[in-house]
Amino acid sequence: AEGLRRLVETNKVIAVLGPMISTEAEATVALASELAVPMVMMTQTPGLGDDSPYAFNAWVHPDTQVRALVEHAVGRLGWTKFAIAYPDKESAAALAGMFWDEVEKAGGTVTAVESYPAESTDFRETGRRLKGSWYKAKPPGEMDSKLPFLPGRRKPQLSAPSVLAPGTDFQAVFVPDSYRRVTMLAPGFVFEEINVGGHLRSTRDNEYPPVTLLGGSAFNHPDLVARGAGYTEGTVFVDGFFPGSSDESVTRFIKQYRDAYGGDPTILEATAYDTALFVCQLLADGVKT
């Protein structure tokens, strides 16, 4: 806060880039309004600055990722039926609820939702619960019907007249978790005949339509496929920066960055670049105070 005040009152700056650390952003949001100076933050905490006319956040947050993911799945891929498997953590449940709402807004349906312990390594039971076969074999009790951190919501698969058919009753599964966890989840789902990665081949007696795993930026890791032994092939996820993009602005930025620094940019550098470019373009319009 002292640094922000010094920048404005002593150095007479007319715009501030940053902070990048959430605690620092929390300490300066109110002061930016008091000083009436635009502050463009780059912090991963959503909601900071929402109530301030002077504080803005350039980071791509999870809620933005969820909306983009649903727009792609429903609007571009044409999928209409989804399942959700989430760890029993409040942050993951918030994303699960957000995905559920966005799917319904887009005209789709969430047909199955299941939680699992955050440190799970075996997901066969989660797969059976998601399909509903667990509950057909053993009628659900009161605890079975509850969804941790999602009060007022019920598991849709409990109301289904029969066991759900993966690939037909849900075409994709949203998993708000890390790439490490999803590489353990995928083989457990395949074991329960949820055909993620396309490993199961349909026969004359059994149909195995493909099911796609969906996730956010926590899936974006080079080891996603290698650790998943191929079971995570075809996974769809969203992030704020993709170095492999063919978009001209991205390829130009990467070349310039490599020429200047001898390495590859990450999302941190990409976000900082976009933020600086945005402010510079505004200043170029003739802003003087």
Side-chain angles (χ1 to χ4, degrees):
E2 292 175 2
L4 177 60
R5 188 178 293 278
R6 188 165 57 249
L7 284 172
V8 177
E9 296 180 348
T10 303
N11 301 110
K12 307 299 182 184
V13 303
I14 61 174
V16 175
L17 303 183
M20 297 188 71
I21 299 174
S22 298
T23 52
E24 294 177 356
E26 291 169 359
T28 52
V29 165
L31 184 57
S33 296
E34 178 188 326
L35 299 173
V37 60
M39 184 172 72
V40 188
M41 303 175 291
M42 291 164 278
T43 171
Q44 298 183 45
T45 301
L48 283 178
D50 283 356
D51 299 325
S52 171
Y54 288 95
F56 308 92
N57 204 342
W59 198 265
V60 179
H61 289 128
D63 53 349
T64 308
Q65 295 179 31
V66 167
R67 284 193 291 270
L69 195 61
V70 172
E71 179 184 345
H72 180 73
V74 177
R76 296 177 184 171
L77 300 180
W79 296 337
T80 58
K81 296 179 180 179
F82 299 86
I84 301 171
Y86 71 96
D88 55 4
K89 299 188 297 186
E90 188 171 3
S91 57
L95 292 176
M98 192 181 304
F99 181 86
W100 198 336
D101 291 340
E102 290 296 325
V103 164
E104 292 182 344
K105 286 180 189 176
T109 306
V110 174
T111 59
V113 183
E114 194 60 58
S115 67
Y116 54 84
E119 300 304 319
S120 289
T121 57
D122 186 340
F123 289 88
R124 290 174 293 179
E125 180 180 317
T126 306
R128 291 195 295 273
R129 287 176 177 270
L130 205 63
K131 294 195 304 180
S133 56
W134 174 274
Y135 303 113
K136 300 304 177 186
K138 181 181 178 182
E142 182 180 350
M143 294 304 296
D144 288 322
S145 63
K146 292 185 177 179
L147 289 168
F149 303 107
L150 287 176
R153 302 198 191 227
R154 289 183 54 81
K155 299 177 181 180
Q157 66 269 35
L158 294 182
S159 303
S162 59
V163 173
L164 299 182
T168 300
D169 292 322
F170 54 87
Q171 298 145 303
V173 183
F174 176 61
V175 185
D177 209 337
S178 69
Y179 80 94
R180 290 186 182 90
R181 197 68 52 193
V182 81
T183 59
M184 292 183 274
L185 176 145
F189 275 23
V190 171
F191 186 87
E192 295 302 329
E193 299 184 340
I194 301 174
N195 193 16
V196 297
H199 277 263
L200 300 176
R201 298 286 180 259
S202 296
T203 65
R204 184 174 61 182
D205 298 322
N206 294 293
E207 285 287 327
Y208 298 111
V211 176
T212 301
L213 293 171
L214 305 177
S217 61
F219 279 18
N220 191 4
H221 194 279
D223 291 344
L224 174 67
V225 173
R227 286 176 63 109
Y231 293 111
T232 47
E233 286 278 7
T235 296
V236 173
F237 59 87
V238 62
D239 203 348
F241 177 60
F242 175 43
S245 172
S246 59
D247 185 273
E248 183 182 355
S249 63
V250 177
T251 56
R252 183 172 63 250
F253 163 65
I254 291 175
K255 181 182 184 306
Q256 291 173 343
Y257 188 90
R258 286 172 177 166
D259 290 345
Y261 301 107
D264 288 335
T266 69
I267 189 171
L268 291 173
E269 290 81 15
T271 301
Y273 176 86
D274 281 345
T275 304
L277 182 63
F278 168 67
V279 174
C280 288
Q281 287 172 339
L282 290 175
L283 296 177
D285 287 340
V287 176
K288 301 296 182 185
T289 69

